[in-house]
Amino acid sequence: MDKKIYIYANDTEMSKTIEKTVRNKLVKSGLRVYEKYDENTELIICIGGDGTLLRLVQEFDFPKTPIVGINTGHLGFFQEVLPEKIDDFIFFYNQDRYTIQSLNGVTVSVKTDSGISKHIALNDITVRGLLTHPVHLNISINNSFIERFSGDGICVATPAGSTAYNYALGGSIVDPRLNLLQVTPIAPMHNTAYRSFTSSILLPANDKLTVIPCSNYDKNLSIVYDGLMTEYENVIELTIQLSRKKINLIRFDDYQFWEKVKSKFL
Ligand code: NAP
Ligand code: MN
């Protein structure tokens, strides 16, 4: 048994300590830890919180290799293993007693007068103005016009991201076995002057969301993907879709999505 394992950790003291412990235990159980990640890596161990997993996914551009998270962060919704359960994790992993939870990302293509840029996120893509003014955005689904949105912006979340910013905005928690996109308004204006949806809307997996700034004042936008922000000027059009890229998270026998939700939110 010579499986190639790679460890990715954030730089907190706790994560560094846990990393040493995990290395020792893996070696004792006959597994090998490699210093580099490549396409032959069979398991990635991610030590940190959800933010650490998001960084890993960006850095390795949605690796296909199964990932298991050890939670040393705050919330750790993606993270399957508690630091005190490392022995159990190695035991079950060695016996192949686990399931894979596949989670698709969401992509945005940003067209400006100087070209096209693309970003991908596991949780969410947020579109907002650069200033404190509300933005006005024409929103279409599969090229048919739906609404002229006015407000702070919109958050487009995957099922995986539904428990993150989406939830804080009043969006719904989505079981990740459903493949869809959730578009949640951020402080929508709805009155006799402006008419925006005030609740989330859900799109099936293959639908395409297009966002076009209504006027020149709305062309400077901030695009945030999994918490990373890029500012754009002279935006012509944004296209947001569920990505074909996905990550594969390891979950153990007792994993149940709603149990996890209950334990982290209630
Ligand atoms: P952060 O500022 O540490 O994230 C905020 C919190 O969101 C952290 O507690 C993080 O957990 C948690 N989180 C991240 N992904 C989650 C998920 N899929 N389900 C449940 N909770 C999740 O920054 P970050 O850790 O890099 O995370 C980036 C994410 O923050 C963005 O994708 C966005 O969804 C979220 N966000 C939330 C708010 C809000 O709730 N008002 C505002 C902006 C952004 P850990 O403590 O384990 O890292
Ligand atoms: Mn975090």
Side-chain angles (χ1 to χ4, degrees):
M1 198 191 313
D2 183 21
K3 290 198 172 170
K4 280 189 148 190
I5 298 181
Y6 176 78
I7 302 180
Y8 184 95
N10 67 6
D11 55 10
T12 66
E13 282 309 313
M14 185 176 177
S15 294
K16 283 180 190 156
T17 309
I18 297 291
E19 180 173 351
K20 278 192 200 125
T21 310
V22 176
R23 270 175 195 277
N24 289 334
K25 287 178 187 286
L26 288 170
V27 172
K28 270 196 194 141
S29 81
L31 294 162
R32 283 221 198 162
V33 181
Y34 286 73
E35 294 315 309
K36 264 193 172 164
Y37 168 76
D38 63 36
E39 67 276 13
N40 298 320
T41 305
E42 281 157 274
L43 174 71
I44 301 174
I45 299 176
C46 175
I47 303 173
D50 292 322
T52 315
L53 183 103
L54 296 173
R55 295 302 94 73
L56 156 75
V57 170
Q58 288 288 335
E59 213 170 295
F60 296 128
D61 191 23
F62 280 71
K64 292 194 180 72
T65 311
I67 304 171
V68 66
I70 300 179
N71 187 30
T72 59
H74 292 110
L75 187 69
F77 201 77
F78 289 124
Q79 308 297 73
E80 180 69 354
V81 180
L82 294 173
E84 59 271 26
K85 298 275 186 181
I86 293 168
D87 289 322
D88 292 356
F89 143 57
I90 295 174
F91 178 78
F92 289 124
Y93 179 73
N94 273 328
Q95 296 203 347
D96 291 327
R97 276 166 61 188
Y98 58 82
T99 55
I100 296 285
Q101 182 181 46
S102 291
L103 301 171
N104 285 81
V106 51
T107 60
V108 60
S109 166
V110 187
K111 188 173 165 194
T112 68
D113 60 356
S114 54
I116 292 180
S117 309
K118 290 187 174 164
H119 303 289
I120 180 165
L122 180 63
N123 272 348
D124 42 35
I125 288 166
T126 300
V127 179
R128 40 168 85 243
L130 298 186
L131 304 170
T132 51
H133 299 287
V135 280
H136 307 281
L137 305 167
N138 282 326
I139 295 185
S140 302
I141 297 169
N142 299 334
N143 300 319
S144 76
F145 174 75
I146 299 299
E147 67 160 338
R148 179 189 154 108
F149 170 87
S150 296
D152 285 2
I154 58 165
C155 169
V156 185
T158 61
S162 67
T163 44
Y165 193 22
N166 171 75
Y167 183 63
L169 292 169
S172 296
I173 297 177
V174 179
D175 186 316
R177 288 172 299 181
L178 295 167
N179 218 10
L180 53 79
L181 280 182
Q182 182 166 185
V183 186
T184 300
I186 309 172
M189 296 157 81
H190 187 86
N191 49 40
T192 52
Y194 301 108
R195 292 185 165 268
S196 312
F197 286 127
T198 55
S199 75
S200 303
I201 61 171
L202 303 179
L203 305 183
N206 293 322
D207 278 13
K208 183 179 81 174
L209 189 82
T210 309
V211 178
I212 297 178
C214 291
S215 78
N216 283 342
Y217 300 107
D218 306 307
K219 287 189 170 169
N220 297 342
L221 295 172
S222 122
I223 310 291
V224 186
Y225 48 103
D226 285 349
L228 302 169
M229 185 180 73
T230 308
E231 295 183 352
Y232 287 94
E233 287 177 357
N234 298 316
V235 172
I236 297 165
E237 181 181 274
L238 308 173
T239 313
I240 303 175
Q241 274 176 300
L242 210 62
S243 172
R244 270 190 287 273
K245 285 189 186 172
K246 51 189 169 187
I247 62 156
N248 298 302
L249 279 187
I250 285 193
R251 300 296 192 182
F252 292 101
D253 283 351
D254 56 353
Y255 174 83
Q256 278 187 29
F257 176 73
W258 291 107
E259 287 297 326
K260 184 90 173 182
V261 172
K262 208 167 67 182
S263 74
K264 297 290 179 181
F265 287 91
L266 297 181

